[in-house]
Amino acid sequence: MEFTPIPVSYANLLPYLLDNAMMAITPAKVPQPPFFRGYESNATCAYHGGVLGHSIEHCMTLKRRVQGLIDTGWLKFEGNRL
C-alpha cells in the first residue's frame, strides 16, 4: 500500500484526529517473543495506548487508517495545515 505524504508528523496528527472524533486510541497486546520484524524495544506507540514495539511514526495500522480518511475525503490538508 502506498501512503499519501502528509505535511505533519503522525504524533502531531493524532491529537487532532482524537479531538475531532475521527479516531480513537486502540490498545494493542504487548508483543511477546519471537518479536515481529522491525520491533523496537525502546519505542512506544501513542495510537496503541503506549504499547512497546514501534513508534507512532512507524505504526502501519495508524498509517492505513489515516490513508483511509484521506481517500474518503474526511481528512484534507491545505498546504502544511489541516
Side-chain angles (χ1 to χ4, degrees):
M1 178 175 207
E2 289 192 32
F3 299 106
T4 301
I6 62 173
V8 297
S9 69
Y10 287 93
N12 289 333
L13 179 59
L14 183 61
Y16 172 85
L17 297 172
L18 296 171
D19 290 345
N20 289 283
M22 299 171 87
M23 203 165 285
I25 299 297
T26 306
K29 294 190 327 186
V30 176
Q32 300 295 319
F35 297 116
F36 55 88
R37 193 183 84 195
Y39 176 82
E40 300 173 47
S41 62
N42 295 323
T44 60
C45 180
Y47 174 68
H48 283 120
V51 73
L52 287 171
H54 64 277
S55 70
I56 192 169
E57 301 304 324
H58 294 108
C59 182
M60 297 307 289
T61 304
L62 177 59
K63 288 182 178 191
R64 284 190 292 270
R65 298 266 332 263
V66 168
Q67 187 63 50
L69 292 171
I70 292 169
D71 291 347
T72 58
W74 283 70
L75 181 62
K76 295 180 184 180
F77 296 94
E78 296 176 20
N80 290 337
R81 300 177 53 148
L82 289 167

